[in-house]
Amino acid sequence: MGLFQLKKQQTKLAKKIIKEASLKNERLAVGESCTGGIISSLLTSVPGSSKVFDQGLVTYSNKAKIDLLGVNQDTIKKNGAVSKQVVEEMVNGLFRISEATFALSISGVAGPGSLSAQKPEGLVWIAYGHKFGTIKTSVINFEPLGRDYVRQKSSIAALNILLELLLKP
């Protein structure tokens, strides 16, 4: 799939998310690392997003994750920034600092190259949930086809998860 098709898919998903969140009177917050603000940018490009989008934070560095979202420094030291534990703490941090009813966080290895054998290029963790529900996680291993590919495909995966959350009764 080419970059044009990826961007078209992203835009379509973002419009559906804003529409569903508006219909259900939900508020959204996003914490991004590897996507660097792509998800927030897509959502805020949709007219009417200001009614449902509370905030998006790019917490690219470990320090930003700790300072802005309250991720525990020991969690990062023990598990690394690209881990289930860190994205869960990022979502919990979003709920603490925002008015969101739905939150999503993402951290991954965009590349080029891997962090380690256990953390290859293309590894992405996503956490998501409702403010009064259980935080769930998803791990994806994208093909290591370059930094932009991993970032764009990660944003699509995150948008699909957010849409699925909003479509649940």
Side-chain angles (χ1 to χ4, degrees), residues 96-137:
R96 275 193 307 276
I97 66 169
S98 75
E99 296 180 3
T101 52
F102 285 98
L104 178 139
S105 67
I106 186 167
S107 185
V109 184
S114 301
L115 295 178
S116 68
Q118 295 78 31
K119 298 199 181 190
E121 178 180 338
L123 174 70
V124 176
W125 279 97
I126 302 171
Y128 51 94
H130 189 275
K131 187 168 189 138
F132 303 111
T134 305
I135 304 301
K136 296 182 181 177
T137 58

PDB file of all heavy atoms in Angstrom, residues 96-137:
ATOM      1  N   ARG A  96      -5.634  10.965  34.215  1.00  0.00           N
ATOM      2  CA  ARG A  96      -5.396  11.855  35.360  1.00  0.00           C
ATOM      3  C   ARG A  96      -5.370  13.329  34.960  1.00  0.00           C
ATOM      4  O   ARG A  96      -5.813  14.182  35.717  1.00  0.00           O
ATOM      5  CB  ARG A  96      -4.061  11.519  36.047  1.00  0.00           C
ATOM      6  CG  ARG A  96      -4.145  10.424  37.064  1.00  0.00           C
ATOM      7  CD  ARG A  96      -2.891  10.348  37.935  1.00  0.00           C
ATOM      8  NE  ARG A  96      -1.646  10.260  37.177  1.00  0.00           N
ATOM      9  CZ  ARG A  96      -1.120   9.133  36.685  1.00  0.00           C
ATOM     10  NH1 ARG A  96      -1.726   7.987  36.879  1.00  0.00           N
ATOM     11  NH2 ARG A  96       0.018   9.156  36.030  1.00  0.00           N
ATOM     12  N   ILE A  97      -4.821  13.637  33.789  1.00  0.00           N
ATOM     13  CA  ILE A  97      -4.596  15.046  33.433  1.00  0.00           C
ATOM     14  C   ILE A  97      -5.608  15.619  32.448  1.00  0.00           C
ATOM     15  O   ILE A  97      -5.533  16.803  32.127  1.00  0.00           O
ATOM     16  CB  ILE A  97      -3.171  15.262  32.878  1.00  0.00           C
ATOM     17  CG1 ILE A  97      -2.993  14.530  31.539  1.00  0.00           C
ATOM     18  CG2 ILE A  97      -2.129  14.832  33.903  1.00  0.00           C
ATOM     19  CD1 ILE A  97      -1.732  14.889  30.804  1.00  0.00           C
ATOM     20  N   SER A  98      -6.532  14.809  31.977  1.00  0.00           N
ATOM     21  CA  SER A  98      -7.463  15.291  30.953  1.00  0.00           C
ATOM     22  C   SER A  98      -8.915  15.072  31.371  1.00  0.00           C
ATOM     23  O   SER A  98      -9.191  14.476  32.404  1.00  0.00           O
ATOM     24  CB  SER A  98      -7.208  14.557  29.631  1.00  0.00           C
ATOM     25  OG  SER A  98      -7.717  13.231  29.683  1.00  0.00           O
ATOM     26  N   GLU A  99      -9.786  15.541  30.507  1.00  0.00           N
ATOM     27  CA  GLU A  99     -11.217  15.300  30.682  1.00  0.00           C
ATOM     28  C   GLU A  99     -11.699  14.182  29.763  1.00  0.00           C
ATOM     29  O   GLU A  99     -12.888  14.044  29.509  1.00  0.00           O
ATOM     30  CB  GLU A  99     -11.990  16.595  30.404  1.00  0.00           C
ATOM     31  CG  GLU A  99     -11.675  17.693  31.393  1.00  0.00           C
ATOM     32  CD  GLU A  99     -12.448  18.974  31.115  1.00  0.00           C
ATOM     33  OE1 GLU A  99     -13.270  19.006  30.181  1.00  0.00           O
ATOM     34  OE2 GLU A  99     -12.214  19.943  31.846  1.00  0.00           O
ATOM     35  N   ALA A 100     -10.763  13.383  29.282  1.00  0.00           N
ATOM     36  CA  ALA A 100     -11.088  12.329  28.330  1.00  0.00           C
ATOM     37  C   ALA A 100     -11.896  11.209  28.963  1.00  0.00           C
ATOM     38  O   ALA A 100     -11.680  10.844  30.116  1.00  0.00           O
ATOM     39  CB  ALA A 100      -9.808  11.746  27.747  1.00  0.00           C
ATOM     40  N   THR A 101     -12.817  10.672  28.170  1.00  0.00           N
ATOM     41  CA  THR A 101     -13.515   9.447  28.551  1.00  0.00           C
ATOM     42  C   THR A 101     -12.869   8.247  27.866  1.00  0.00           C
ATOM     43  O   THR A 101     -12.971   7.128  28.355  1.00  0.00           O
ATOM     44  CB  THR A 101     -15.013   9.522  28.181  1.00  0.00           C
ATOM     45  OG1 THR A 101     -15.136   9.890  26.808  1.00  0.00           O
ATOM     46  CG2 THR A 101     -15.731  10.523  29.067  1.00  0.00           C
ATOM     47  N   PHE A 102     -12.207   8.481  26.743  1.00  0.00           N
ATOM     48  CA  PHE A 102     -11.440   7.458  26.037  1.00  0.00           C
ATOM     49  C   PHE A 102     -10.025   7.965  25.847  1.00  0.00           C
ATOM     50  O   PHE A 102      -9.825   9.122  25.465  1.00  0.00           O
ATOM     51  CB  PHE A 102     -12.031   7.147  24.652  1.00  0.00           C
ATOM     52  CG  PHE A 102     -13.283   6.332  24.684  1.00  0.00           C
ATOM     53  CD1 PHE A 102     -14.522   6.934  24.593  1.00  0.00           C
ATOM     54  CD2 PHE A 102     -13.223   4.953  24.799  1.00  0.00           C
ATOM     55  CE1 PHE A 102     -15.686   6.187  24.616  1.00  0.00           C
ATOM     56  CE2 PHE A 102     -14.387   4.193  24.835  1.00  0.00           C
ATOM     57  CZ  PHE A 102     -15.619   4.810  24.740  1.00  0.00           C
ATOM     58  N   ALA A 103      -9.044   7.098  26.110  1.00  0.00           N
ATOM     59  CA  ALA A 103      -7.647   7.480  25.924  1.00  0.00           C
ATOM     60  C   ALA A 103      -6.896   6.352  25.240  1.00  0.00           C
ATOM     61  O   ALA A 103      -7.244   5.177  25.378  1.00  0.00           O
ATOM     62  CB  ALA A 103      -6.996   7.813  27.259  1.00  0.00           C
ATOM     63  N   LEU A 104      -5.867   6.749  24.499  1.00  0.00           N
ATOM     64  CA  LEU A 104      -5.035   5.808  23.780  1.00  0.00           C
ATOM     65  C   LEU A 104      -3.596   6.300  23.846  1.00  0.00           C
ATOM     66  O   LEU A 104      -3.347   7.499  23.746  1.00  0.00           O
ATOM     67  CB  LEU A 104      -5.493   5.714  22.322  1.00  0.00           C
ATOM     68  CG  LEU A 104      -4.695   4.788  21.414  1.00  0.00           C
ATOM     69  CD1 LEU A 104      -5.628   4.014  20.497  1.00  0.00           C
ATOM     70  CD2 LEU A 104      -3.673   5.555  20.595  1.00  0.00           C
ATOM     71  N   SER A 105      -2.668   5.364  24.010  1.00  0.00           N
ATOM     72  CA  SER A 105      -1.250   5.711  23.970  1.00  0.00           C
ATOM     73  C   SER A 105      -0.520   4.731  23.065  1.00  0.00           C
ATOM     74  O   SER A 105      -0.974   3.596  22.859  1.00  0.00           O
ATOM     75  CB  SER A 105      -0.637   5.698  25.371  1.00  0.00           C
ATOM     76  OG  SER A 105      -0.610   4.380  25.876  1.00  0.00           O
ATOM     77  N   ILE A 106       0.622   5.185  22.548  1.00  0.00           N
ATOM     78  CA  ILE A 106       1.380   4.370  21.614  1.00  0.00           C
ATOM     79  C   ILE A 106       2.869   4.617  21.793  1.00  0.00           C
ATOM     80  O   ILE A 106       3.296   5.749  21.996  1.00  0.00           O
ATOM     81  CB  ILE A 106       0.924   4.652  20.158  1.00  0.00           C
ATOM     82  CG1 ILE A 106       1.588   3.700  19.165  1.00  0.00           C
ATOM     83  CG2 ILE A 106       1.135   6.114  19.792  1.00  0.00           C
ATOM     84  CD1 ILE A 106       0.950   3.715  17.784  1.00  0.00           C
ATOM     85  N   SER A 107       3.647   3.532  21.734  1.00  0.00           N
ATOM     86  CA  SER A 107       5.104   3.611  21.801  1.00  0.00           C
ATOM     87  C   SER A 107       5.660   2.463  20.978  1.00  0.00           C
ATOM     88  O   SER A 107       5.160   1.335  21.060  1.00  0.00           O
ATOM     89  CB  SER A 107       5.577   3.513  23.259  1.00  0.00           C
ATOM     90  OG  SER A 107       6.963   3.710  23.357  1.00  0.00           O
ATOM     91  N   GLY A 108       6.674   2.742  20.190  1.00  0.00           N
ATOM     92  CA  GLY A 108       7.208   1.685  19.347  1.00  0.00           C
ATOM     93  C   GLY A 108       8.596   1.986  18.833  1.00  0.00           C
ATOM     94  O   GLY A 108       9.177   3.034  19.117  1.00  0.00           O
ATOM     95  N   VAL A 109       9.111   1.044  18.060  1.00  0.00           N
ATOM     96  CA  VAL A 109      10.428   1.168  17.439  1.00  0.00           C
ATOM     97  C   VAL A 109      10.205   1.440  15.953  1.00  0.00           C
ATOM     98  O   VAL A 109       9.942   0.517  15.181  1.00  0.00           O
ATOM     99  CB  VAL A 109      11.265  -0.116  17.631  1.00  0.00           C
ATOM    100  CG1 VAL A 109      12.668   0.077  17.060  1.00  0.00           C
ATOM    101  CG2 VAL A 109      11.321  -0.522  19.099  1.00  0.00           C
ATOM    102  N   ALA A 110      10.275   2.703  15.584  1.00  0.00           N
ATOM    103  CA  ALA A 110      10.021   3.077  14.192  1.00  0.00           C
ATOM    104  C   ALA A 110      11.216   2.767  13.294  1.00  0.00           C
ATOM    105  O   ALA A 110      11.064   2.537  12.110  1.00  0.00           O
ATOM    106  CB  ALA A 110       9.664   4.561  14.103  1.00  0.00           C
ATOM    107  N   GLY A 111      12.404   2.772  13.858  1.00  0.00           N
ATOM    108  CA  GLY A 111      13.596   2.487  13.075  1.00  0.00           C
ATOM    109  C   GLY A 111      14.266   3.759  12.585  1.00  0.00           C
ATOM    110  O   GLY A 111      13.832   4.850  12.938  1.00  0.00           O
ATOM    111  N   PRO A 112      15.263   3.672  11.799  1.00  0.00           N
ATOM    112  CA  PRO A 112      15.794   2.412  11.274  1.00  0.00           C
ATOM    113  C   PRO A 112      16.547   1.643  12.349  1.00  0.00           C
ATOM    114  O   PRO A 112      17.128   2.215  13.252  1.00  0.00           O
ATOM    115  CB  PRO A 112      16.731   2.864  10.157  1.00  0.00           C
ATOM    116  CG  PRO A 112      17.158   4.244  10.539  1.00  0.00           C
ATOM    117  CD  PRO A 112      16.005   4.833  11.312  1.00  0.00           C
ATOM    118  N   GLY A 113      16.475   0.354  12.225  1.00  0.00           N
ATOM    119  CA  GLY A 113      17.174  -0.523  13.156  1.00  0.00           C
ATOM    120  C   GLY A 113      16.326  -0.884  14.357  1.00  0.00           C
ATOM    121  O   GLY A 113      15.285  -0.288  14.619  1.00  0.00           O
ATOM    122  N   SER A 114      16.794  -1.868  15.077  1.00  0.00           N
ATOM    123  CA  SER A 114      16.117  -2.396  16.252  1.00  0.00           C
ATOM    124  C   SER A 114      16.788  -1.875  17.508  1.00  0.00           C
ATOM    125  O   SER A 114      17.952  -1.492  17.486  1.00  0.00           O
ATOM    126  CB  SER A 114      16.169  -3.920  16.241  1.00  0.00           C
ATOM    127  OG  SER A 114      15.561  -4.418  15.063  1.00  0.00           O
ATOM    128  N   LEU A 115      16.041  -1.876  18.618  1.00  0.00           N
ATOM    129  CA  LEU A 115      16.636  -1.540  19.913  1.00  0.00           C
ATOM    130  C   LEU A 115      17.397  -2.737  20.464  1.00  0.00           C
ATOM    131  O   LEU A 115      18.411  -2.597  21.124  1.00  0.00           O
ATOM    132  CB  LEU A 115      15.556  -1.107  20.903  1.00  0.00           C
ATOM    133  CG  LEU A 115      14.807   0.183  20.582  1.00  0.00           C
ATOM    134  CD1 LEU A 115      13.729   0.449  21.624  1.00  0.00           C
ATOM    135  CD2 LEU A 115      15.766   1.357  20.508  1.00  0.00           C
ATOM    136  N   SER A 116      16.855  -3.930  20.207  1.00  0.00           N
ATOM    137  CA  SER A 116      17.459  -5.187  20.656  1.00  0.00           C
ATOM    138  C   SER A 116      16.766  -6.316  19.908  1.00  0.00           C
ATOM    139  O   SER A 116      15.819  -6.075  19.156  1.00  0.00           O
ATOM    140  CB  SER A 116      17.272  -5.364  22.165  1.00  0.00           C
ATOM    141  OG  SER A 116      15.898  -5.567  22.461  1.00  0.00           O
ATOM    142  N   ALA A 117      17.201  -7.531  20.164  1.00  0.00           N
ATOM    143  CA  ALA A 117      16.549  -8.688  19.541  1.00  0.00           C
ATOM    144  C   ALA A 117      15.100  -8.809  19.998  1.00  0.00           C
ATOM    145  O   ALA A 117      14.232  -9.236  19.241  1.00  0.00           O
ATOM    146  CB  ALA A 117      17.311  -9.970  19.872  1.00  0.00           C
ATOM    147  N   GLN A 118      14.827  -8.379  21.252  1.00  0.00           N
ATOM    148  CA  GLN A 118      13.467  -8.432  21.796  1.00  0.00           C
ATOM    149  C   GLN A 118      12.630  -7.228  21.357  1.00  0.00           C
ATOM    150  O   GLN A 118      11.409  -7.244  21.494  1.00  0.00           O
ATOM    151  CB  GLN A 118      13.499  -8.489  23.325  1.00  0.00           C
ATOM    152  CG  GLN A 118      14.109  -9.737  23.912  1.00  0.00           C
ATOM    153  CD  GLN A 118      15.637  -9.718  23.858  1.00  0.00           C
ATOM    154  OE1 GLN A 118      16.264  -8.669  23.933  1.00  0.00           O
ATOM    155  NE2 GLN A 118      16.234 -10.888  23.679  1.00  0.00           N
ATOM    156  N   LYS A 119      13.278  -6.186  20.871  1.00  0.00           N
ATOM    157  CA  LYS A 119      12.576  -4.967  20.465  1.00  0.00           C
ATOM    158  C   LYS A 119      13.028  -4.566  19.061  1.00  0.00           C
ATOM    159  O   LYS A 119      13.779  -3.619  18.869  1.00  0.00           O
ATOM    160  CB  LYS A 119      12.810  -3.855  21.476  1.00  0.00           C
ATOM    161  CG  LYS A 119      12.254  -4.263  22.840  1.00  0.00           C
ATOM    162  CD  LYS A 119      12.026  -3.124  23.749  1.00  0.00           C
ATOM    163  CE  LYS A 119      11.491  -3.701  25.061  1.00  0.00           C
ATOM    164  NZ  LYS A 119      11.027  -2.718  25.953  1.00  0.00           N
ATOM    165  N   PRO A 120      12.528  -5.330  18.065  1.00  0.00           N
ATOM    166  CA  PRO A 120      12.935  -5.081  16.682  1.00  0.00           C
ATOM    167  C   PRO A 120      12.222  -3.879  16.074  1.00  0.00           C
ATOM    168  O   PRO A 120      11.168  -3.446  16.561  1.00  0.00           O
ATOM    169  CB  PRO A 120      12.505  -6.368  15.972  1.00  0.00           C
ATOM    170  CG  PRO A 120      11.301  -6.814  16.747  1.00  0.00           C
ATOM    171  CD  PRO A 120      11.609  -6.453  18.179  1.00  0.00           C
ATOM    172  N   GLU A 121      12.797  -3.377  15.017  1.00  0.00           N
ATOM    173  CA  GLU A 121      12.130  -2.326  14.244  1.00  0.00           C
ATOM    174  C   GLU A 121      10.751  -2.834  13.832  1.00  0.00           C
ATOM    175  O   GLU A 121      10.605  -3.958  13.363  1.00  0.00           O
ATOM    176  CB  GLU A 121      12.942  -1.996  12.995  1.00  0.00           C
ATOM    177  CG  GLU A 121      12.305  -0.943  12.118  1.00  0.00           C
ATOM    178  CD  GLU A 121      13.133  -0.637  10.876  1.00  0.00           C
ATOM    179  OE1 GLU A 121      14.346  -0.890  10.863  1.00  0.00           O
ATOM    180  OE2 GLU A 121      12.534  -0.142   9.903  1.00  0.00           O
ATOM    181  N   GLY A 122       9.733  -2.005  14.076  1.00  0.00           N
ATOM    182  CA  GLY A 122       8.370  -2.383  13.740  1.00  0.00           C
ATOM    183  C   GLY A 122       7.540  -2.837  14.931  1.00  0.00           C
ATOM    184  O   GLY A 122       6.328  -3.009  14.812  1.00  0.00           O
ATOM    185  N   LEU A 123       8.183  -3.022  16.098  1.00  0.00           N
ATOM    186  CA  LEU A 123       7.452  -3.407  17.307  1.00  0.00           C
ATOM    187  C   LEU A 123       6.724  -2.186  17.864  1.00  0.00           C
ATOM    188  O   LEU A 123       7.338  -1.147  18.107  1.00  0.00           O
ATOM    189  CB  LEU A 123       8.411  -3.953  18.376  1.00  0.00           C
ATOM    190  CG  LEU A 123       7.775  -4.260  19.737  1.00  0.00           C
ATOM    191  CD1 LEU A 123       6.852  -5.473  19.643  1.00  0.00           C
ATOM    192  CD2 LEU A 123       8.852  -4.478  20.796  1.00  0.00           C
ATOM    193  N   VAL A 124       5.414  -2.317  18.061  1.00  0.00           N
ATOM    194  CA  VAL A 124       4.598  -1.198  18.550  1.00  0.00           C
ATOM    195  C   VAL A 124       3.635  -1.704  19.620  1.00  0.00           C
ATOM    196  O   VAL A 124       2.960  -2.715  19.429  1.00  0.00           O
ATOM    197  CB  VAL A 124       3.797  -0.550  17.392  1.00  0.00           C
ATOM    198  CG1 VAL A 124       2.876   0.534  17.913  1.00  0.00           C
ATOM    199  CG2 VAL A 124       4.737  -0.001  16.332  1.00  0.00           C
ATOM    200  N   TRP A 125       3.584  -0.978  20.733  1.00  0.00           N
ATOM    201  CA  TRP A 125       2.627  -1.250  21.805  1.00  0.00           C
ATOM    202  C   TRP A 125       1.594  -0.139  21.831  1.00  0.00           C
ATOM    203  O   TRP A 125       1.947   1.048  21.754  1.00  0.00           O
ATOM    204  CB  TRP A 125       3.318  -1.309  23.171  1.00  0.00           C
ATOM    205  CG  TRP A 125       3.962  -2.623  23.443  1.00  0.00           C
ATOM    206  CD1 TRP A 125       5.270  -2.953  23.272  1.00  0.00           C
ATOM    207  CD2 TRP A 125       3.326  -3.792  23.955  1.00  0.00           C
ATOM    208  NE1 TRP A 125       5.485  -4.262  23.632  1.00  0.00           N
ATOM    209  CE2 TRP A 125       4.302  -4.795  24.066  1.00  0.00           C
ATOM    210  CE3 TRP A 125       2.006  -4.091  24.331  1.00  0.00           C
ATOM    211  CZ2 TRP A 125       4.023  -6.073  24.538  1.00  0.00           C
ATOM    212  CZ3 TRP A 125       1.723  -5.361  24.792  1.00  0.00           C
ATOM    213  CH2 TRP A 125       2.720  -6.336  24.891  1.00  0.00           C
ATOM    214  N   ILE A 126       0.329  -0.515  21.957  1.00  0.00           N
ATOM    215  CA  ILE A 126      -0.772   0.444  22.063  1.00  0.00           C
ATOM    216  C   ILE A 126      -1.599   0.074  23.291  1.00  0.00           C
ATOM    217  O   ILE A 126      -1.927  -1.094  23.484  1.00  0.00           O
ATOM    218  CB  ILE A 126      -1.676   0.414  20.807  1.00  0.00           C
ATOM    219  CG1 ILE A 126      -0.863   0.724  19.557  1.00  0.00           C
ATOM    220  CG2 ILE A 126      -2.845   1.400  20.949  1.00  0.00           C
ATOM    221  CD1 ILE A 126      -1.604   0.509  18.251  1.00  0.00           C
ATOM    222  N   ALA A 127      -1.909   1.072  24.114  1.00  0.00           N
ATOM    223  CA  ALA A 127      -2.815   0.867  25.250  1.00  0.00           C
ATOM    224  C   ALA A 127      -4.018   1.765  25.030  1.00  0.00           C
ATOM    225  O   ALA A 127      -3.899   2.852  24.448  1.00  0.00           O
ATOM    226  CB  ALA A 127      -2.130   1.199  26.572  1.00  0.00           C
ATOM    227  N   TYR A 128      -5.170   1.317  25.517  1.00  0.00           N
ATOM    228  CA  TYR A 128      -6.394   2.068  25.268  1.00  0.00           C
ATOM    229  C   TYR A 128      -7.457   1.664  26.272  1.00  0.00           C
ATOM    230  O   TYR A 128      -7.391   0.588  26.867  1.00  0.00           O
ATOM    231  CB  TYR A 128      -6.897   1.810  23.850  1.00  0.00           C
ATOM    232  CG  TYR A 128      -7.001   0.338  23.506  1.00  0.00           C
ATOM    233  CD1 TYR A 128      -8.202  -0.342  23.670  1.00  0.00           C
ATOM    234  CD2 TYR A 128      -5.895  -0.369  23.066  1.00  0.00           C
ATOM    235  CE1 TYR A 128      -8.297  -1.701  23.379  1.00  0.00           C
ATOM    236  CE2 TYR A 128      -5.977  -1.728  22.781  1.00  0.00           C
ATOM    237  CZ  TYR A 128      -7.174  -2.383  22.936  1.00  0.00           C
ATOM    238  OH  TYR A 128      -7.269  -3.734  22.657  1.00  0.00           O
ATOM    239  N   GLY A 129      -8.416   2.539  26.440  1.00  0.00           N
ATOM    240  CA  GLY A 129      -9.506   2.186  27.326  1.00  0.00           C
ATOM    241  C   GLY A 129     -10.436   3.336  27.607  1.00  0.00           C
ATOM    242  O   GLY A 129     -10.225   4.469  27.158  1.00  0.00           O
ATOM    243  N   HIS A 130     -11.482   3.003  28.338  1.00  0.00           N
ATOM    244  CA  HIS A 130     -12.473   3.965  28.806  1.00  0.00           C
ATOM    245  C   HIS A 130     -12.095   4.366  30.227  1.00  0.00           C
ATOM    246  O   HIS A 130     -11.568   3.549  30.991  1.00  0.00           O
ATOM    247  CB  HIS A 130     -13.876   3.350  28.782  1.00  0.00           C
ATOM    248  CG  HIS A 130     -14.961   4.334  29.040  1.00  0.00           C
ATOM    249  ND1 HIS A 130     -15.350   4.681  30.305  1.00  0.00           N
ATOM    250  CD2 HIS A 130     -15.716   5.068  28.184  1.00  0.00           C
ATOM    251  CE1 HIS A 130     -16.310   5.590  30.232  1.00  0.00           C
ATOM    252  NE2 HIS A 130     -16.552   5.834  28.957  1.00  0.00           N
ATOM    253  N   LYS A 131     -12.380   5.590  30.575  1.00  0.00           N
ATOM    254  CA  LYS A 131     -11.999   6.115  31.889  1.00  0.00           C
ATOM    255  C   LYS A 131     -12.473   5.216  33.033  1.00  0.00           C
ATOM    256  O   LYS A 131     -11.791   5.073  34.036  1.00  0.00           O
ATOM    257  CB  LYS A 131     -12.551   7.525  32.057  1.00  0.00           C
ATOM    258  CG  LYS A 131     -12.073   8.198  33.320  1.00  0.00           C
ATOM    259  CD  LYS A 131     -12.394   9.669  33.312  1.00  0.00           C
ATOM    260  CE  LYS A 131     -11.704  10.335  34.473  1.00  0.00           C
ATOM    261  NZ  LYS A 131     -11.115  11.597  34.134  1.00  0.00           N
ATOM    262  N   PHE A 132     -13.636   4.614  32.877  1.00  0.00           N
ATOM    263  CA  PHE A 132     -14.186   3.786  33.955  1.00  0.00           C
ATOM    264  C   PHE A 132     -14.147   2.306  33.612  1.00  0.00           C
ATOM    265  O   PHE A 132     -14.914   1.513  34.144  1.00  0.00           O
ATOM    266  CB  PHE A 132     -15.615   4.236  34.280  1.00  0.00           C
ATOM    267  CG  PHE A 132     -15.679   5.685  34.652  1.00  0.00           C
ATOM    268  CD1 PHE A 132     -16.282   6.600  33.806  1.00  0.00           C
ATOM    269  CD2 PHE A 132     -15.099   6.142  35.831  1.00  0.00           C
ATOM    270  CE1 PHE A 132     -16.332   7.950  34.128  1.00  0.00           C
ATOM    271  CE2 PHE A 132     -15.140   7.490  36.164  1.00  0.00           C
ATOM    272  CZ  PHE A 132     -15.751   8.392  35.316  1.00  0.00           C
ATOM    273  N   GLY A 133     -13.235   1.933  32.719  1.00  0.00           N
ATOM    274  CA  GLY A 133     -13.131   0.534  32.320  1.00  0.00           C
ATOM    275  C   GLY A 133     -11.719   0.015  32.502  1.00  0.00           C
ATOM    276  O   GLY A 133     -10.889   0.619  33.178  1.00  0.00           O
ATOM    277  N   THR A 134     -11.454  -1.109  31.894  1.00  0.00           N
ATOM    278  CA  THR A 134     -10.155  -1.754  31.962  1.00  0.00           C
ATOM    279  C   THR A 134      -9.255  -1.225  30.850  1.00  0.00           C
ATOM    280  O   THR A 134      -9.719  -1.026  29.731  1.00  0.00           O
ATOM    281  CB  THR A 134     -10.325  -3.279  31.787  1.00  0.00           C
ATOM    282  OG1 THR A 134     -11.250  -3.747  32.763  1.00  0.00           O
ATOM    283  CG2 THR A 134      -9.016  -4.011  31.928  1.00  0.00           C
ATOM    284  N   ILE A 135      -8.003  -1.012  31.177  1.00  0.00           N
ATOM    285  CA  ILE A 135      -7.030  -0.623  30.163  1.00  0.00           C
ATOM    286  C   ILE A 135      -6.585  -1.905  29.454  1.00  0.00           C
ATOM    287  O   ILE A 135      -6.182  -2.875  30.093  1.00  0.00           O
ATOM    288  CB  ILE A 135      -5.806   0.083  30.790  1.00  0.00           C
ATOM    289  CG1 ILE A 135      -6.214   1.298  31.615  1.00  0.00           C
ATOM    290  CG2 ILE A 135      -4.779   0.453  29.717  1.00  0.00           C
ATOM    291  CD1 ILE A 135      -6.957   2.360  30.869  1.00  0.00           C
ATOM    292  N   LYS A 136      -6.662  -1.889  28.136  1.00  0.00           N
ATOM    293  CA  LYS A 136      -6.249  -3.040  27.336  1.00  0.00           C
ATOM    294  C   LYS A 136      -5.025  -2.657  26.520  1.00  0.00           C
ATOM    295  O   LYS A 136      -4.779  -1.466  26.293  1.00  0.00           O
ATOM    296  CB  LYS A 136      -7.385  -3.486  26.420  1.00  0.00           C
ATOM    297  CG  LYS A 136      -8.585  -3.982  27.185  1.00  0.00           C
ATOM    298  CD  LYS A 136      -9.667  -4.455  26.264  1.00  0.00           C
ATOM    299  CE  LYS A 136     -10.851  -4.927  27.097  1.00  0.00           C
ATOM    300  NZ  LYS A 136     -11.969  -5.339  26.297  1.00  0.00           N
ATOM    301  N   THR A 137      -4.292  -3.656  26.084  1.00  0.00           N
ATOM    302  CA  THR A 137      -3.116  -3.399  25.262  1.00  0.00           C
ATOM    303  C   THR A 137      -3.129  -4.276  24.026  1.00  0.00           C
ATOM    304  O   THR A 137      -3.767  -5.333  23.992  1.00  0.00           O
ATOM    305  CB  THR A 137      -1.806  -3.657  26.032  1.00  0.00           C
ATOM    306  OG1 THR A 137      -1.796  -4.999  26.481  1.00  0.00           O
ATOM    307  CG2 THR A 137      -1.643  -2.694  27.197  1.00  0.00           C
TER     308      THR A 137
END
